[in-house]
Amino acid sequence: MTRFHFSSTPIDTDAGRRALQDGAAGGYVSFEGWVRDHNEGLAVRRLEYEAFVDLAVKEGDRIVAQAMARYPVRHALCVHRIGDLAIGDLAVWVGVSAVHRGEAFDACRYIIDEVKHRVPIWKKEHYVNGDSGWVNCERCATAPRHDHDSHSHGPHTHD
Amino acid sequence: MRRDKAALDYGGASQLDRVVELARRHVAEVFVSVRPDQAGDPVRARHPLIVDAFPDGGPVAGIRSAFARAPASAWLVLACDLPFLSDATIAHLIRSRDPAGFATAYRSAYDGLPEPLCAIWEPRSADALALWVAQGRQCPRKFLGAHAAALLDPIDERALDNVNTPEEYARARAAFDTRTPRGTMRIQIRYYALLREQAGRSDETVETSAETPADLYRELGTRHPFTLTPEQLKVAVNGDFSDWTRALRSDDVVVFIPPVAGG
């Protein structure tokens, strides 16, 4: 069982949390990424996620393994949605259990940051004004180039 | 030679893959003829198969099984131990085809006898082959000698050389490496997200002489209105990230990866 997988139905966060339970763990940290109703000044109506699933699962699993190698946590998992999502839907879930909270926070942060940069998943936003676009591919043509290989990046938010 | 001749490697591709790729450039559909016990062999099973429907074994069973599948079609039959077989040799055979006869074949450069496994077999051969086998005969060469077949002189005397010993294999490989550095290859491309929309399809298979993913993207960009530059993309070959300068091989599966946006 890989520690990164996709779901085409709403993510069952309770099941994810249960999978991380461990008598040796003193804490559990999770992150939920939600579909936001705006991006870069445009009102978002809905969005769709598409993935190159085989490679995405492989790369996602590598990220979770790297997080566990870097930070001494007990268990870690990441689940990403695929398909059509509405405002407020849960798009991605990361859960980590650890003996102490510090490593759990660090590993959780590492996983979500790396997933956003490295895993072949694409997001198409559909805007209230009727337009649509692939995030990082179209409307950001003039923005600094997307850095695929960044493994040490500054803090960034779920966007 | 005890090794499976279809699996011998020439310039990075199996002999079978090479001959299938070659044939595909000349005919509508290509099948690999196998005995029932070969149907699961991975070297063969990656191609469409025609499993022997006759118990007599050997090339005649394979040819008869092809006619059983498509009785009205003429079949270009190629052995998979002819490393020097070329587009020119096949094209000449097809141009010289005599559809009224039983077959069109090359004469061996060594003994002048017909070469049945680089030949076009016409539909009327099917019944005659059945009769031939019913008479207890097996040899497709003798069949062509005994029936009206158009015979051609080879345009390249080495084209039909086969490989039977390790020494012949070594010589063929050495000659091969200097002779055909790279022909065209069949590459499968899968598209996602913006590239899928711009290509107007999720996947395609191309015959290309592109040597690397970078060459391939440039070539595809002449046919599809791609807006992303290679600098914006990553590339995956056969399911994992790859270099842009990796040497492509026939039947590789290539995915160009637009800027990602998970989370």
Side-chain angles (χ1 to χ4, degrees), chain A residues 17-72:
Chain A
R17 182 178 173 280
R18 277 197 303 277
L20 300 171
Q21 280 177 339
D22 182 330
Y28 151 78
V29 168
S30 71
F31 172 81
E32 295 190 2
W34 298 348
V35 177
R36 197 175 49 201
D37 70 359
H38 65 280
N39 190 25
E40 310 212 1
L42 285 174
V44 174
R45 192 161 52 85
R46 65 181 182 89
L47 56 79
E48 52 189 289
Y49 281 108
E50 177 173 337
F52 172 9
V53 171
D54 291 357
L55 181 53
V57 168
K58 203 183 280 184
E59 185 71 353
D61 204 41
R62 280 178 201 144
I63 290 169
V64 176
Q66 285 161 3
M68 296 178 74
R70 267 171 105 116
Y71 307 102

Coordinates of all heavy atoms in Angstrom, one line a residue, chain A residues 17-72:
Chain A
R17 N -7.0 9.2 9.6 CA -6.5 9.4 10.9 C -6.4 8.0 11.7 O -5.4 7.8 12.3 CB -7.5 10.3 11.7 CG -7.2 10.6 13.1 CD -8.2 11.5 13.7 NE -8.0 11.8 15.1 CZ -8.4 10.9 16.0 NH1 -9.0 9.7 15.7 NH2 -8.1 11.2 17.3
R18 N -7.3 7.2 11.5 CA -7.3 5.8 12.1 C -6.0 5.1 11.7 O -5.4 4.4 12.4 CB -8.6 5.0 11.8 CG -9.7 5.4 12.7 CD -10.8 4.3 12.6 NE -11.3 4.1 11.3 CZ -12.2 4.8 10.7 NH1 -12.8 5.8 11.3 NH2 -12.6 4.5 9.4
A19 N -5.7 5.2 10.4 CA -4.6 4.4 9.8 C -3.2 4.9 10.5 O -2.2 4.2 10.4 CB -4.5 4.6 8.3
L20 N -3.2 6.1 11.1 CA -2.0 6.6 11.7 C -1.9 6.3 13.2 O -0.9 6.6 13.8 CB -2.0 8.1 11.5 CG -2.0 8.6 10.0 CD1 -2.2 10.1 9.9 CD2 -0.7 8.2 9.3
Q21 N -3.0 5.8 13.7 CA -3.0 5.6 15.2 C -1.9 4.6 15.6 O -1.7 3.6 14.9 CB -4.4 5.2 15.7 CG -5.3 6.4 15.8 CD -6.7 6.0 16.2 OE1 -7.1 4.8 16.0 NE2 -7.4 7.0 16.7
D22 N -1.3 4.9 16.7 CA -0.2 4.1 17.2 C 0.0 4.4 18.7 O 0.1 5.5 19.0 CB 1.1 4.5 16.3 CG 2.3 3.8 16.6 OD1 2.5 3.3 17.8 OD2 3.1 3.6 15.7
G23 N 0.1 3.3 19.5 CA 0.3 3.5 20.9 C 1.5 4.3 21.3 O 1.6 5.0 22.3
A24 N 2.5 4.3 20.4 CA 3.8 5.0 20.7 C 3.7 6.5 20.3 O 4.6 7.2 20.6 CB 4.9 4.3 19.9
A25 N 2.7 6.9 19.6 CA 2.6 8.2 19.1 C 1.9 9.1 20.2 O 0.9 8.8 20.8 CB 1.7 8.3 17.8
G26 N 2.6 10.3 20.4 CA 2.1 11.2 21.3 C 1.3 12.3 20.7 O 0.7 13.2 21.3
G27 N 1.2 12.3 19.4 CA 0.4 13.4 18.7 C 0.2 13.1 17.2 O 0.9 12.2 16.6
Y28 N -0.7 13.8 16.7 CA -1.1 13.7 15.3 C -1.3 15.0 14.7 O -2.0 15.9 15.3 CB -2.3 12.8 15.2 CG -3.3 13.0 14.1 CD1 -3.0 12.5 12.8 CD2 -4.5 13.7 14.2 CE1 -3.8 12.6 11.7 CE2 -5.3 13.9 13.1 CZ -5.0 13.3 11.9 OH -5.8 13.5 10.9
V29 N -0.7 15.3 13.5 CA -0.9 16.6 12.8 C -1.5 16.3 11.5 O -1.1 15.3 10.8 CB 0.4 17.3 12.7 CG1 0.3 18.5 11.7 CG2 0.9 17.8 14.0
S30 N -2.5 17.1 11.1 CA -3.0 16.9 9.7 C -3.1 18.2 9.0 O -3.2 19.3 9.7 CB -4.4 16.2 9.7 OG -5.4 17.0 10.2
F31 N -3.1 18.2 7.7 CA -3.3 19.4 6.9 C -4.4 19.1 5.9 O -4.5 18.0 5.3 CB -2.1 19.8 6.2 CG -2.3 20.9 5.2 CD1 -2.3 22.2 5.6 CD2 -2.6 20.6 3.8 CE1 -2.6 23.2 4.7 CE2 -2.8 21.6 2.9 CZ -2.8 22.9 3.3
E32 N -5.4 20.0 5.8 CA -6.4 19.9 4.8 C -6.3 21.1 3.8 O -6.3 22.2 4.3 CB -7.8 19.9 5.4 CG -8.1 18.7 6.3 CD -9.6 18.6 6.7 OE1 -10.4 19.5 6.3 OE2 -9.9 17.7 7.5
G33 N -6.2 20.8 2.6 CA -6.2 21.9 1.6 C -7.6 21.9 1.0 O -8.2 20.9 0.5
W34 N -8.2 23.1 1.0 CA -9.6 23.3 0.6 C -9.7 24.1 -0.7 O -8.8 25.0 -1.0 CB -10.4 24.0 1.6 CG -10.5 23.4 3.0 CD1 -10.2 22.1 3.3 CD2 -11.0 24.0 4.2 NE1 -10.4 21.8 4.6 CE2 -10.9 23.0 5.2 CE3 -11.5 25.2 4.5 CZ2 -11.3 23.2 6.5 CZ3 -11.9 25.5 5.8 CH2 -11.8 24.4 6.8
V35 N -10.7 23.9 -1.5 CA -10.9 24.7 -2.7 C -11.4 26.1 -2.3 O -12.4 26.2 -1.6 CB -11.9 24.0 -3.6 CG1 -12.2 24.9 -4.9 CG2 -11.4 22.6 -4.0
R36 N -10.6 27.1 -2.7 CA -10.9 28.5 -2.3 C -11.7 29.2 -3.4 O -11.6 28.8 -4.6 CB -9.6 29.2 -2.1 CG -9.6 30.4 -1.4 CD -8.2 30.9 -1.2 NE -7.4 30.9 -2.4 CZ -6.1 30.8 -2.5 NH1 -5.4 30.8 -1.4 NH2 -5.5 30.8 -3.7
D37 N -12.5 30.2 -3.1 CA -13.4 30.8 -4.1 C -12.7 31.9 -4.9 O -13.4 32.6 -5.6 CB -14.7 31.3 -3.4 CG -14.4 32.5 -2.5 OD1 -13.3 32.9 -2.3 OD2 -15.4 33.0 -1.9
H38 N -11.4 32.1 -4.7 CA -10.8 33.1 -5.5 C -9.3 32.7 -5.7 O -8.7 32.0 -4.8 CB -10.9 34.5 -4.8 CG -10.2 34.5 -3.5 ND1 -10.7 34.0 -2.4 CD2 -8.9 35.0 -3.2 CE1 -9.8 34.2 -1.4 NE2 -8.7 34.8 -1.9
N39 N -8.7 33.2 -6.8 CA -7.3 33.0 -7.0 C -6.8 34.1 -7.9 O -7.4 34.4 -8.9 CB -7.0 31.6 -7.6 CG -5.5 31.3 -7.6 OD1 -4.8 31.8 -6.8 ND2 -5.1 30.5 -8.6
E40 N -5.7 34.8 -7.4 CA -5.1 35.8 -8.2 C -6.1 36.8 -8.8 O -6.1 37.2 -10.0 CB -4.3 35.2 -9.4 CG -3.4 34.2 -8.8 CD -2.1 34.0 -9.6 OE1 -1.9 34.8 -10.5 OE2 -1.3 33.2 -9.2
G41 N -7.0 37.2 -7.9 CA -8.0 38.3 -8.2 C -9.2 37.9 -9.0 O -10.0 38.7 -9.3
L42 N -9.3 36.6 -9.3 CA -10.5 36.1 -10.0 C -11.3 35.2 -9.1 O -10.8 34.5 -8.3 CB -10.1 35.3 -11.2 CG -9.5 36.1 -12.4 CD1 -9.0 35.1 -13.5 CD2 -10.6 37.0 -13.0
A43 N -12.7 35.4 -9.3 CA -13.6 34.6 -8.5 C -13.7 33.2 -9.1 O -14.0 33.1 -10.3 CB -15.0 35.3 -8.4
V44 N -13.4 32.2 -8.3 CA -13.4 30.8 -8.8 C -14.7 30.1 -8.5 O -15.3 30.3 -7.4 CB -12.3 30.0 -8.1 CG1 -12.3 28.5 -8.5 CG2 -10.9 30.6 -8.5
R45 N -15.3 29.4 -9.5 CA -16.6 28.8 -9.4 C -16.4 27.3 -9.0 O -17.1 26.8 -8.1 CB -17.3 28.9 -10.7 CG -18.8 28.6 -10.7 CD -19.5 29.1 -11.9 NE -18.8 28.8 -13.1 CZ -19.0 27.7 -13.8 NH1 -19.9 26.8 -13.3 NH2 -18.4 27.4 -14.9
R46 N -15.4 26.6 -9.6 CA -15.2 25.2 -9.3 C -13.8 24.9 -9.9 O -13.3 25.7 -10.7 CB -16.3 24.3 -10.0 CG -16.3 24.4 -11.5 CD -17.4 23.5 -12.0 NE -17.4 23.5 -13.5 CZ -16.6 22.7 -14.3 NH1 -15.9 21.8 -13.7 NH2 -16.7 22.7 -15.6
L47 N -13.3 23.7 -9.7 CA -12.1 23.3 -10.3 C -12.0 21.9 -10.6 O -12.8 21.1 -10.0 CB -10.9 23.9 -9.6 CG -10.6 23.6 -8.1 CD1 -10.1 22.2 -8.0 CD2 -9.7 24.6 -7.6
E48 N -11.1 21.5 -11.4 CA -10.9 20.1 -11.7 C -9.4 19.7 -11.6 O -8.5 20.5 -11.9 CB -11.4 19.7 -13.1 CG -10.9 20.5 -14.2 CD -11.6 20.2 -15.5 OE1 -11.4 19.1 -16.1 OE2 -12.4 21.1 -16.0
Y49 N -9.2 18.6 -11.0 CA -7.8 18.0 -10.9 C -7.6 16.9 -11.8 O -8.5 16.0 -12.0 CB -7.5 17.5 -9.5 CG -7.3 18.6 -8.4 CD1 -8.2 18.9 -7.5 CD2 -6.0 19.3 -8.4 CE1 -7.9 19.9 -6.5 CE2 -5.8 20.3 -7.5 CZ -6.7 20.6 -6.6 OH -6.5 21.5 -5.6
E50 N -6.5 16.9 -12.5 CA -6.1 15.8 -13.4 C -4.7 15.4 -13.0 O -3.9 16.2 -12.5 CB -6.0 16.4 -14.8 CG -5.6 15.4 -15.9 CD -5.8 15.9 -17.3 OE1 -6.6 16.9 -17.5 OE2 -5.1 15.4 -18.2
A51 N -4.4 14.1 -13.1 CA -3.1 13.6 -12.7 C -2.5 12.6 -13.6 O -3.3 11.9 -14.3 CB -3.1 13.0 -11.3
F52 N -1.2 12.5 -13.7 CA -0.5 11.4 -14.4 C -0.3 10.4 -13.3 O 0.6 10.4 -12.5 CB 0.8 12.0 -14.9 CG 1.8 11.0 -15.5 CD1 1.5 9.7 -15.7 CD2 3.0 11.4 -15.8 CE1 2.4 8.8 -16.2 CE2 4.0 10.6 -16.4 CZ 3.7 9.2 -16.6
V53 N -1.4 9.6 -13.1 CA -1.5 8.8 -11.8 C -0.3 8.0 -11.5 O 0.1 8.0 -10.4 CB -2.9 8.0 -11.8 CG1 -2.9 7.1 -10.7 CG2 -4.1 9.0 -11.9
D54 N 0.1 7.2 -12.5 CA 1.2 6.2 -12.2 C 2.4 7.0 -11.6 O 3.0 6.5 -10.5 CB 1.7 5.5 -13.4 CG 0.6 4.6 -13.9 OD1 -0.4 4.4 -13.2 OD2 0.8 3.9 -15.0
L55 N 2.9 8.0 -12.3 CA 4.0 8.7 -11.8 C 3.7 9.5 -10.5 O 4.6 9.7 -9.6 CB 4.6 9.6 -12.9 CG 5.9 10.4 -12.5 CD1 7.0 9.5 -12.0 CD2 6.4 11.2 -13.7
A56 N 2.5 10.1 -10.5 CA 2.1 10.9 -9.3 C 2.2 10.0 -8.0 O 2.7 10.5 -7.0 CB 0.8 11.5 -9.5
V57 N 1.7 8.8 -8.1 CA 1.7 8.0 -6.9 C 3.1 7.6 -6.6 O 3.5 7.6 -5.4 CB 0.8 6.7 -7.2 CG1 1.1 5.6 -6.1 CG2 -0.6 7.1 -7.3
K58 N 3.9 7.3 -7.6 CA 5.3 7.0 -7.3 C 6.1 8.2 -6.7 O 6.7 8.0 -5.6 CB 6.0 6.7 -8.7 CG 7.2 5.8 -8.7 CD 7.8 5.7 -10.1 CE 7.1 4.6 -10.9 NZ 7.8 4.4 -12.2
E59 N 5.9 9.4 -7.2 CA 6.6 10.5 -6.7 C 6.0 10.9 -5.3 O 6.8 11.3 -4.4 CB 6.4 11.7 -7.7 CG 7.2 12.9 -7.3 CD 8.7 12.8 -7.4 OE1 9.2 11.7 -7.7 OE2 9.4 13.8 -7.2
G60 N 4.7 10.8 -5.2 CA 4.1 11.1 -3.9 C 4.6 10.2 -2.8 O 4.9 10.6 -1.6
D61 N 4.7 8.9 -3.1 CA 5.2 8.0 -2.1 C 6.6 8.2 -1.8 O 7.0 8.1 -0.6 CB 5.0 6.5 -2.8 CG 4.9 5.5 -1.7 OD1 4.2 5.7 -0.7 OD2 5.5 4.4 -1.9
R62 N 7.4 8.7 -2.8 CA 8.8 9.0 -2.5 C 8.8 10.2 -1.5 O 9.7 10.2 -0.6 CB 9.5 9.5 -3.8 CG 10.0 8.4 -4.6 CD 10.6 9.0 -5.9 NE 10.7 8.0 -7.0 CZ 10.5 8.3 -8.3 NH1 10.3 9.5 -8.7 NH2 10.5 7.4 -9.2
I63 N 8.0 11.2 -1.7 CA 7.9 12.4 -0.8 C 7.6 11.9 0.6 O 8.3 12.4 1.6 CB 6.9 13.4 -1.3 CG1 7.4 14.0 -2.6 CG2 6.6 14.5 -0.3 CD1 6.4 14.8 -3.4
V64 N 6.6 11.1 0.8 CA 6.3 10.7 2.1 C 7.5 9.9 2.8 O 7.8 10.1 3.9 CB 5.0 9.8 2.1 CG1 4.7 9.3 3.5 CG2 3.8 10.7 1.6
A65 N 8.1 9.0 1.9 CA 9.2 8.3 2.5 C 10.4 9.2 2.8 O 11.0 9.0 3.9 CB 9.7 7.3 1.4
Q66 N 10.6 10.3 2.0 CA 11.7 11.2 2.4 C 11.3 12.0 3.6 O 12.2 12.2 4.5 CB 11.8 12.2 1.2 CG 12.6 11.6 0.0 CD 12.4 12.4 -1.3 OE1 11.7 13.4 -1.3 NE2 12.9 11.8 -2.4
A67 N 10.0 12.3 3.8 CA 9.6 13.0 5.0 C 9.9 12.2 6.3 O 10.4 12.7 7.3 CB 8.1 13.4 5.0
M68 N 9.6 10.9 6.1 CA 9.8 10.0 7.3 C 11.3 9.7 7.5 O 11.6 9.5 8.7 CB 9.0 8.7 7.0 CG 7.5 8.9 6.9 SD 6.6 7.4 6.6 CE 6.7 6.6 8.1
A69 N 12.1 9.8 6.5 CA 13.5 9.7 6.7 C 14.1 10.9 7.3 O 15.1 10.8 8.1 CB 14.2 9.4 5.3
R70 N 13.6 12.1 7.0 CA 14.1 13.3 7.5 C 13.7 13.6 8.9 O 14.4 14.2 9.7 CB 13.5 14.5 6.7 CG 14.4 14.9 5.5 CD 13.6 15.9 4.7 NE 14.1 17.3 5.0 CZ 14.6 18.0 4.0 NH1 14.8 17.5 2.8 NH2 15.0 19.2 4.3
Y71 N 12.4 13.2 9.2 CA 11.9 13.5 10.5 C 11.4 12.2 11.2 O 10.7 11.4 10.5 CB 10.7 14.5 10.4 CG 11.0 15.7 9.6 CD1 10.6 15.9 8.3 CD2 11.7 16.8 10.2 CE1 10.9 17.0 7.6 CE2 12.1 17.9 9.5 CZ 11.6 18.0 8.2 OH 12.0 19.1 7.5
P72 N 11.8 12.0 12.4 CA 11.5 10.7 13.0 C 10.0 10.6 13.5 O 9.7 10.8 14.6 CB 12.4 10.6 14.2 CG 12.7 12.1 14.6 CD 12.6 12.9 13.3

